[in-house]
Amino acid sequence: MLKKSLVLHKQLNNNNGIGYCLNNIGYFYKDLGKLNEALDYFHQSLDLRIKEKDARNMATGYNNIAYVHMSQGETKKAIEYFEKSIHIYDSINKPSGKATTLLNLASIFKKDNNLEKAMDYYQEGLKYYRMAQDPAGEAMSLSHISGIYQDKGDMDNALIKMQEAFEINKRIKSVKGIADNSNSLGKLLFLKGKNSEAKTLVLKGLKLGKELGYPHTIRTAAYILFDIYKAENNGMKALEMHELYIQMRDSLKNENLSLIHISEPTRQAEI
């Protein structure tokens, strides 16, 4: 269907439509795990955007190419393309796009266990999401910053930043954000020995995850609750959570087998 649409747009000399199709064919191949084909189509789309001097979609194109290189473990190339995207977002004064790309860069350094560098990029991303008045992005940045503090063993600051993210998600009524933050806060409180408070929050995360139908959120909650119930010597409940965790883990595994999905911090659709 996408390739037929591409042929049609070419016949009509509709460059915007051609770029859109090329980009989405790239997404299609990327989700199938055919990364070389994905790169080819992303580069074709980018070349067209450069020719058209379409800065906004050029930035998206650089991000898409960076994602593929990141998935292939080609860190240096990924960073190069993410930085090109940031340069364009600066030139067109689009702080939200820059913030997203900064978080993508941060994820690379976190994966390499360069926590200081990752923290710098997450903090900068937070600043630009605030400039863009994007509360969802702000909450996401704070959650990542909390994760860095946790990795560094600073549970107090991890808890503070996750609580800030939680309050934002409650304010904007992001049910998914509330569910994920509930799980994260519960985990942090459990690590600090506050089992009762932790259990209340994670049970909330589990309930919301089930209402939303998100296996990943349910799996995370079940994993944490298993440890909490185990600490309470509640074997029956611990077993129940273990079985739920396995069920959700297998569900996600089967989903990935049916359509290979490449992990990416944020997917930007080209318009």
Side-chain angles (χ1 to χ4, degrees):
M1 183 64 73
L2 283 171
K3 288 188 176 180
K4 286 182 180 179
S5 181
L6 176 60
V7 170
L8 178 61
H9 284 300
K10 284 182 176 179
Q11 290 172 346
L12 295 172
N13 291 319
N14 181 356
N15 285 339
N16 187 56
I18 293 169
Y20 178 86
C21 289
L22 289 168
N23 194 64
N24 283 284
I25 292 170
Y27 280 140
F28 175 76
Y29 279 118
K30 182 157 65 69
D31 284 341
L32 288 177
K34 296 184 177 182
L35 302 186
N36 290 331
E37 288 90 340
L39 271 178
D40 179 43
Y41 279 98
F42 283 146
H43 274 292
Q44 288 184 57
S45 178
L46 176 61
D47 289 344
L48 184 61
R49 299 309 187 183
I50 292 172
K51 182 180 177 181
E52 294 289 307
K53 297 182 180 179
D54 181 351
R56 180 173 170 274
N57 282 321
M58 281 167 59
T60 300
Y62 284 128
N63 264 319
N64 290 338
I65 291 168
Y67 293 145
V68 176
H69 286 304
M70 187 167 63
S71 300
Q72 292 176 320
E74 297 170 342
T75 303
K76 188 175 179 180
K77 284 186 178 180
I79 292 172
E80 176 189 341
Y81 280 98
F82 279 137
E83 288 178 344
K84 287 181 178 180
S85 180
I86 286 174
H87 177 73
I88 292 175
Y89 283 129
D90 278 335
S91 72
I92 61 175
N93 191 28
K94 190 171 176 59
S96 60
K98 180 172 181 176
T100 297
T101 308
L102 287 165
L103 262 61
N104 293 337
L105 276 167
S107 71
I108 291 176
F109 290 105
K110 183 179 181 182
K111 187 177 180 181
D112 287 344
N113 205 35
N114 188 339
L115 300 183
E116 295 301 327
K117 195 78 171 176
M119 178 67 91
D120 288 343
Y121 279 113
Y122 282 135
Q123 293 278 15
E124 194 174 359
L126 173 63
K127 180 179 76 173
Y128 280 96
Y129 273 128
R130 283 174 172 165
M131 284 175 57
Q133 298 183 338
D134 183 340
E138 185 180 350
M140 179 170 58
S141 301
L142 287 165
S143 295
H144 284 303
I145 290 168
S146 172
I148 295 293
Y149 277 124
Q150 184 178 336
D151 289 343
K152 294 169 73 173
D154 186 347
M155 297 303 165
D156 290 335
N157 274 316
L159 197 57
I160 289 169
K161 295 303 176 184
M162 191 59 71
Q163 186 66 47
E164 288 178 17
F166 188 47
E167 293 304 321
I168 292 171
N169 278 319
K170 285 197 291 185
R171 188 180 79 238
I172 63 176
K173 296 180 172 60
S174 170
V175 181
K176 176 68 164 60
I178 292 168
D180 289 338
N181 290 158
S182 295
N183 286 339
S184 297
L185 280 170
K187 178 183 176 182
L188 289 167
L189 288 168
F190 174 68
L191 292 172
K192 289 175 70 68
K194 299 181 179 181
N195 293 13
S196 179
E197 294 175 61
K199 183 166 69 173
T200 299
L201 279 164
V202 184
L203 283 171
K204 179 178 182 178
L206 178 62
K207 180 176 180 291
L208 292 175
K210 286 180 176 179
E211 290 174 0
L212 292 167
Y214 287 163
H216 188 276
T217 303
I218 298 169
R219 183 188 66 174
T220 300
Y223 186 85
I224 301 166
L225 285 167
F226 168 76
D227 284 337
I228 292 173
Y229 285 127
K230 196 167 131 182
E232 293 178 345
N233 293 315
N234 190 336
M236 290 293 290
K237 279 291 187 181
L239 178 60
E240 180 185 333
M241 289 301 108
H242 178 68
E243 289 175 345
L244 179 59
Y245 169 79
I246 296 298
Q247 180 186 346
M248 293 300 105
R249 184 197 66 186
D250 291 347
S251 172
L252 287 165
K253 189 184 296 182
N254 290 335
E255 182 180 307
N256 288 341
L257 285 172
S258 63
L259 179 61
I260 298 171
H261 178 75
I262 300 168
S263 175
E264 54 190 50
T266 308
R267 172 184 244 179
Q268 292 184 312
E270 182 174 351
I271 298 173

